[in-house]
Amino acid sequence: MEGNGIQVAKLEEKKLKQYEDEVSHLALDIGGSLIKVVYFSSSSCCSSDDEQHGFLKDGIDASSGNLNYRVLTGRLHFLKFETSKISECIKFLSSKRLQHYGHQDGEAPASEKRIVKATGGGAFKFADLFKEKLGIVLDKVDEMRSLVAGANFLLKAVQHEAFTYMDGQKEYVQIDHRDLYPYLLVNIGSGVSMIKVDGDNEFQRISGTSVGGGTFGGLGKLLTKCKSFDELLELSRQGNNRVIDMLVGDIYGGMDYSKIGLSSTAIASSFGKAISENKELEDYRAEDIARSLLRMISNNIGQIAYLNALRFGLKRIFFGGFFIRGHAYTMDTISVAVNFWSKGEAKALFLHHEGFLGALGAFLSYEKNAFTDFTHQFMEQHSSKSESSCSTGNGFESLTCDDVKDSGFIECRVQVRN
Ligand code: ADP
């Protein structure tokens, strides 16, 4: 009886160890709020048999028997840390010895041999810190280019990546690779970037707004005394925005303004009720404030995104960035905004790996040196929201599962140059 459970556990442990042991290719996206880490760990080399079982997709000639390449089975891991706690990230990388798995530049002087691809402003800001603490040189990859590369990769290679979200209903959308472009990519991080994507490497940042995730976090903290983003998000779940927002019905005596298509429940003015009510900040519930704030920011981004899509005749708008956090109310609000302003013509689409676009893009920029045609060689088998290696083992004491929440991995196979 002892048997099965323990045996399975041991097997799992062994499997995990194996994944941990053979880590390769690490990339970072060091943003204003969060550091995103992507790394690949291989479990074993697969035989040519595996290749015949349909793991490689998109017309790649896996049977050509090219000896310059081999196929690795493994996991692509996704982790995030708060930028303000960068030392935790450094500690984690150090504990996993991930810093030893960047690209090795044979021609560089010994002190500059470990090169890790990194994007985001922090790749500049913290370059010296990474050099000093981990002995790695951050090879900067352009942020917009990384976002686009990451989004294109996910949309082409990962099944169940894009989905719509409306009235609590999530629907996965199958993307036809031949009909992907053009599209609008809206990345909602601390700030917001809107990028028109026309091809694999063809894009233009056409707009943006400074009212983004950082605004929600910052204003939310000041107004509600919340300590963390998650707390703020949780509060918003329980709030009612009608307590503070001025609705069309508040102005029109409970009636719709149907002539211009505004229902009585539409928001006429975010936070507008607070003007006329004889109340102080403390008289409002933190839940309602958080809800109104989330609604205001999500709505605004949805509207600006749609207007930019309209400018360029783009029908599909993909939303990424960690502001979204798969949060139902956020996605619902953005979807409603896009649907409302486009009169049902445009659709908001969300990405499962929303916050990792930049880090993935940086990861893919190793391609030229090590991975070959990675985009097309990638095969998702399984993806998980729970990072299996988030235990506090490996000498890394302060990292808890909470710290790596929202992370995960995708099991995949990649073809790499020998
Ligand atoms: P950046 O690269 O600017 O850091 P991200 O895509 O990582 O952008 O998104 C950052 C935003 O995500 C924050 O401004 C905040 O709104 C939201 N967010 C989600 N989870 C967290 C978290 N644990 N801590 C801080 N912000 C978070």
Side-chain angles (χ1 to χ4, degrees):
M1 269 312 280
E2 182 224 331
N4 286 348
I6 289 179
Q7 256 172 16
V8 169
K10 279 197 175 139
L11 262 177
E12 278 298 303
E13 208 175 290
K14 202 172 151 202
K15 216 170 131 195
L16 273 178
K17 282 248 153 34
Q18 206 176 8
Y19 278 122
E20 281 170 10
D21 285 349
E22 294 168 53
V23 172
S24 63
H25 293 83
L26 155 74
L28 305 168
D29 175 4
I30 311 174
S33 306
L34 299 169
I35 302 174
K36 282 72 63 178
V37 178
V38 171
Y39 67 92
F40 180 76
S41 66
S42 60
S43 49
S44 60
C45 274
C46 70
S47 68
S48 57
D49 280 1
D50 297 319
E51 293 163 10
Q52 286 157 16
H53 284 100
F55 281 110
L56 305 180
K57 75 179 203 180
D58 267 354
I60 297 298
D61 184 10
S63 58
S64 65
N66 190 337
L67 295 175
N68 291 327
Y69 301 106
R70 70 205 152 105
V71 176
L72 296 179
T73 307
R75 285 176 174 179
L76 202 53
H77 298 256
F78 302 88
L79 296 167
K80 69 174 168 58
F81 299 83
E82 287 176 26
T83 309
S84 58
K85 298 178 188 160
I86 194 165
S87 56
E88 286 185 8
C89 174
I90 288 176
K91 225 165 158 186
F92 173 76
L93 295 177
S94 179
S95 73
K96 287 228 153 201
R97 300 171 56 76
L98 292 178
Q99 77 271 27
H100 296 302
Y101 298 97
H103 170 60
Q104 291 191 41
D105 185 347
E107 283 168 21
S111 59
E112 296 189 359
K113 271 193 169 355
R114 296 289 163 198
I115 292 180
V116 168
K117 298 281 183 186
T119 188
F124 294 84
K125 187 173 171 184
F126 298 113
D128 290 346
L129 187 69
F130 275 83
K131 184 85 201 294
E132 185 199 322
K133 301 282 182 197
L134 296 170
I136 57 178
V137 175
L138 298 183
D139 186 10
K140 287 113 188 146
V141 191
D142 177 73
E143 190 174 341
M144 297 300 127
R145 187 167 291 275
S146 299
L147 286 172
V148 171
N152 284 343
F153 165 72
L154 288 167
L155 289 169
K156 286 180 181 178
V158 182
Q159 286 166 8
H160 296 127
E161 181 60 35
F163 59 91
T164 56
Y165 195 93
M166 200 72 154
D167 301 325
Q169 295 295 315
K170 183 176 188 174
E171 259 178 52
Y172 282 102
V173 175
Q174 208 52 49
I175 305 291
D176 178 352
H177 299 185
R178 287 153 304 186
D179 190 26
L180 174 60
Y181 309 114
Y183 69 84
L184 183 66
L185 177 62
V186 180
N187 193 64
I188 318 177
S190 309
V192 185
S193 281
M194 302 195 183
I195 309 165
K196 176 173 172 274
V197 183
D198 289 302
D200 280 349
N201 234 331
E202 278 175 70
F203 62 90
Q204 190 191 354
R205 186 182 189 271
I206 54 169
S207 191
T209 163
S210 61
V211 182
T215 318
F216 177 61
L219 261 183
K221 188 176 156 199
L222 291 175
L223 294 173
T224 69
K225 308 266 184 287
C226 256
K227 293 274 181 295
S228 71
F229 182 85
D230 285 340
E231 210 184 311
L232 191 59
L233 215 51
E234 189 49 43
L235 272 184
S236 77
R237 237 185 262 275
Q238 299 146 28
N240 177 3
N241 73 299
R242 295 178 190 194
V243 175
I244 308 176
D245 291 344
M246 187 187 284
L247 309 185
V248 168
D250 294 325
I251 304 171
Y252 278 77
M255 290 171 29
D256 295 339
Y257 183 0
S258 42
K259 202 169 157 194
I260 57 166
L262 292 177
S263 75
S264 63
T265 55
I267 299 172
S269 173
S270 293
F271 285 83
K273 270 197 186 129
I275 301 175
S276 50
E277 288 177 332
N278 196 17
K279 287 184 182 173
E280 298 296 320
L281 181 58
E282 302 70 53
D283 299 325
Y284 291 101
R285 292 193 324 140
E287 290 85 342
D288 300 335
I289 293 173
R291 184 85 163 194
S292 284
L293 193 58
L294 184 58
R295 184 96 194 224
M296 179 178 83
I297 291 168
S298 307
N299 223 345
N300 200 48
I301 293 170
Q303 181 173 4
I304 298 174
Y306 167 66
L307 290 174
N308 278 291
L310 186 69
R311 261 174 85 199
F312 293 96
L314 309 170
K315 287 273 184 289
R316 275 191 301 209
I317 311 174
F318 292 98
F319 290 86
F322 259 129
F323 167 71
I324 300 171
R325 279 292 288 277
H327 188 62
Y329 192 67
T330 308
M331 294 191 293
D332 221 42
T333 306
I334 292 174
S335 295
V336 168
V338 169
N339 189 58
F340 177 83
W341 291 106
S342 72
K343 297 194 169 60
E345 287 284 300
K347 265 204 171 13
L349 291 134
F350 302 94
L351 299 169
H352 186 60
H353 294 90
E354 51 188 20
F356 289 101
L357 308 184
L360 256 176
F363 183 88
L364 291 165
S365 68
Y366 280 115
E367 213 173 293
K368 282 186 222 89
N369 305 309
F371 289 111
T372 171
D373 212 1
F374 184 76
T375 306
H376 297 282
Q377 298 291 339
F378 187 89
M379 172 68 197
E380 181 192 27
Q381 292 175 302
H382 166 72
S383 85
S384 165
K385 269 273 176 187
S386 60
E387 169 62 70
S388 55
S389 54
C390 72
S391 65
T392 56
N394 249 356
F396 192 80
E397 300 305 335
S398 67
L399 190 78
T400 66
C401 283
D402 257 358
D403 289 315
V404 290
K405 185 160 62 191
D406 277 341
S407 306
F409 58 84
I410 299 177
E411 289 189 356
C412 58
R413 290 173 187 221
V414 295
Q415 184 171 295
V416 297
R417 206 169 280 167
N418 273 322

